[in-house]
Amino acid sequence: MGGCSFLIHVRHATAAIAAGMADVVLITHGESGRSRIGVGGQGAAPAQPAGQFQAPYGVGGPPTMFSIPVARYMQRFGVTEEQLASVAVSTRKWATLNPRAAMRDPITVEDVLASRLICWPLHLLNCCLVTDGGGALVLVSEERARDFPKKPVYVLGAGESVEHVNVSMMRDFHESKAYRVAGENAFRMAGLGTDAIDHTMLYDAFTHTPVYMLEALGIAQPGEGTSFFESGRAAPGGDFPINTNGGGLSYTHTGMYGMFAMTESITQLRGEAGERQVPGVEVGLVHGAGGMFSAGATLIWTNQ
Amino acid sequence: MPYNKPLPQATPETQPFWDSLKRHQMQLQRCQDCREFYFYPRPFCPRCYSANVAWEDVSGRATLETYVINHRAAPRFEEDAPYVIAVVTLAEGPRMMTNLVGVDPDPGKLPPDLALEVVYDDVTDEVTLPKFRPA
Ligand SMILES: [Zn+2]
């Protein structure tokens, strides 16, 4: 399940606690993405489907695979490279307010387009960072949490879904079914609509991933995800704040970013986000991505 | 210089696909019940789950579904960069990843839905890769 595994662990842990199969669940993440300590070999075995049907054509890591659908998305909806760049600009604005963010200098659409091409349509600043890092969270029953010194966050809804294993087998390149199904399940379980969400974290491995997520979650109309960022709604001062830690694009990205999306959501729900704190956050949404559009997971939780 | 890029290793289920490429006549599996062509190779139809499937010739015609132009080459692809990694939709329906050959690596010249045809690239004595060029 790759980078959204940690969100899925929350869903499963919630079920285990509700079923009396566990009292306390610790979910952890640590990864040496930059220093590559303890990192094994990479690449598909030559007899695996990815080894037979993708590796011979020179795919080389997420920038060449997560990016495969984007040309079709751009063509179908008439979306430009400038519009994709606006996601990085919006997210960097949040990073300037986060003292822990790796990249804190403001950037413009022109800066993104002038950064070197990695894998068209992705320039360097369309891509997430590669960092070392970690995080953890503890889940217990509502009853057990009552006398904790710190105010808890309560899980309202959770969803998970898988589409393909290899991105070349994705059904529709202009939309993610895995993201959509995960979101629908989480909203249904929570009994809430998108208008109830005060704060949103979307796994931004690349500038297009939060765009696909906004559309899959029903927050933006198909093809209008980049306009959402361009308009400033997702940026500091906007009415729909997204990726307030600076995201995988500007805060941190160890390789599997899902934990950091959750910890920022919880930090905001606890009112502990300092200069970047969004006022009046009661309901938060986190959406994670696994593999190359292979899997999606959504959490909706509250401090009430 | 010997070819040193990643090569596919056929399995019993995929061997007829790779053999057909070596003969320069691509074959895919087709469900004999619901008539669907499909890819990757597998012993049953992914649409109706029938095991009544057979290998049939395909035309080699395709359209460009989506693609990237890779400027940061995978190991051993350095001399090719920038190169086009594409997913094409075959005339018979299935999609596959491939490389585009004989094209400028320029997004302005590579509109989605571009008509393509297969090129059989005999990269070694044993392996032929299906690549595509504008038709
Ligand atoms: Zn069938």
Side-chain angles (χ1 to χ4, degrees):
Chain A
M1 295 295 186
C4 67
S5 299
F6 315 97
L7 284 77
I8 293 173
H9 295 333
V10 170
R11 183 168 187 259
H12 296 185
T14 307
I17 291 167
M21 294 171 71
D23 295 321
V24 180
V25 179
L26 177 64
I27 299 172
T28 65
H29 166 70
E31 192 170 3
S32 177
R34 184 175 188 85
S35 308
R36 305 200 69 73
I37 294 164
V39 175
Q42 58 173 17
Q48 287 180 341
Q52 291 191 60
F53 306 121
Q54 294 196 159
Y57 307 109
V59 294
T64 56
M65 290 189 281
F66 225 142
S67 50
I68 287 278
V70 184
R72 172 56 71 175
Y73 177 92
M74 293 169 74
Q75 181 266 351
R76 183 178 179 106
F77 297 117
V79 167
T80 63
E81 289 181 54
E82 285 78 3
Q83 289 176 293
L84 284 172
S86 70
V87 178
V89 174
S90 172
T91 308
R92 181 63 65 87
K93 285 179 182 164
W94 284 114
T96 66
L97 305 176
N98 181 1
R100 292 172 60 86
M103 298 291 179
R104 299 190 63 199
D105 296 331
I107 54 172
T108 64
V109 166
E110 292 70 33
D111 292 333
V112 178
L113 297 183
S115 65
R116 73 188 157 90
L117 266 172
I118 300 296
C119 187
W120 182 91
L122 303 182
H123 296 257
L124 182 67
L125 294 179
N126 291 105
C127 303
C128 67
L129 307 166
V130 181
T131 58
D132 300 337
L137 56 88
V138 179
L139 276 109
V140 297
S141 68
E142 184 178 347
E143 197 167 62
R144 181 73 184 79
R146 260 183 215 134
D147 60 350
F148 278 12
K150 211 153 191 177
K151 201 177 170 190
V153 166
Y154 302 94
V155 177
L156 295 175
E160 66 187 71
S161 181
V162 174
E163 187 181 342
H164 48 266
V165 175
N166 295 308
V167 69
S168 54
M169 294 292 117
M170 187 169 172
R171 185 170 300 260
D172 292 306
F173 287 111
H174 65 277
E175 63 181 10
S176 169
K177 187 179 178 192
Y179 298 173
R180 177 168 53 78
V181 172
E184 285 170 356
N185 287 340
F187 277 112
R188 189 179 308 120
M189 183 175 165
L192 296 173
T194 56
D195 56 349
I197 305 301
D198 301 313
H199 174 263
T200 302
M201 294 299 296
L202 304 175
Y203 190 131
D204 53 342
F206 299 97
T207 46
H208 63 281
T209 58
V211 171
Y212 276 73
M213 289 168 187
L214 271 182
E215 297 174 19
L217 293 167
I219 296 165
Q221 292 299 307
E224 296 181 2
T226 55
S227 309
F228 203 95
F229 284 91
E230 271 185 313
S231 72
R233 293 186 65 188
D239 71 321
F240 204 95
I242 298 173
N243 293 349
T244 50
N245 58 352
L249 292 170
S250 291
Y251 166 51
T252 198
H253 195 296
T254 54
M256 292 189 288
Y257 168 78
M259 177 61 76
F260 305 100
M262 292 196 293
T263 54
E264 173 67 6
S265 182
I266 292 166
T267 301
Q268 290 280 349
L269 284 161
R270 285 181 171 159
E272 297 174 341
E275 205 186 339
R276 68 183 190 280
Q277 178 66 44
V278 174
V281 178
E282 293 186 358
V283 178
L285 180 147
V286 187
H287 185 90
M292 308 296 133
F293 282 110
S294 303
T298 313
L299 296 176
I300 299 169
W301 43 24
T302 183
N303 54 14
Q304 296 300 299
Chain B
M1 199 178 103
Y3 189 80
N4 67 351
K5 293 169 183 165
L7 287 168
Q9 182 183 318
T11 62
E13 294 81 9
T14 67
Q15 188 73 53
F17 173 69
W18 295 111
D19 288 348
S20 77
L21 296 170
K22 208 162 148 46
R23 296 193 305 270
H24 290 200
Q25 173 55 67
M26 191 194 297
Q27 291 193 327
L28 296 182
Q29 282 166 306
R30 187 178 198 183
C31 177
Q32 303 299 299
D33 289 335
C34 78
R35 308 301 292 161
E36 180 101 332
F37 279 95
Y38 63 88
F39 186 75
Y40 315 141
R42 70 201 89 179
F44 58 89
C45 168
R47 184 175 171 206
C48 77
Y49 305 115
S50 169
N52 182 20
V53 300
W55 290 92
E56 294 189 11
D57 288 353
V58 293
S59 64
R61 286 183 292 109
T63 55
L64 178 57
E65 186 61 34
T66 190
Y67 68 99
V68 294
I69 303 170
N70 192 18
H71 290 256
R72 191 167 165 270
R76 303 192 290 282
F77 285 81
E78 291 82 0
E79 289 186 0
D80 299 341
Y83 55 93
V84 180
I85 305 168
V87 174
V88 300
T89 303
L90 299 168
E92 291 78 10
R95 290 189 186 147
M96 63 177 60
M97 186 178 277
T98 185
N99 295 127
L100 298 190
V101 295
V103 296
D104 284 340
D106 172 359
K109 294 176 182 170
L110 294 171
D113 301 322
L114 183 69
L116 302 168
E117 64 186 11
V118 71
V119 178
Y120 296 101
D121 188 355
D122 299 313
V123 296
T124 69
D125 289 345
E126 290 79 33
V127 174
T128 300
L129 295 176
K131 298 185 178 173
F132 286 80
R133 67 182 173 207

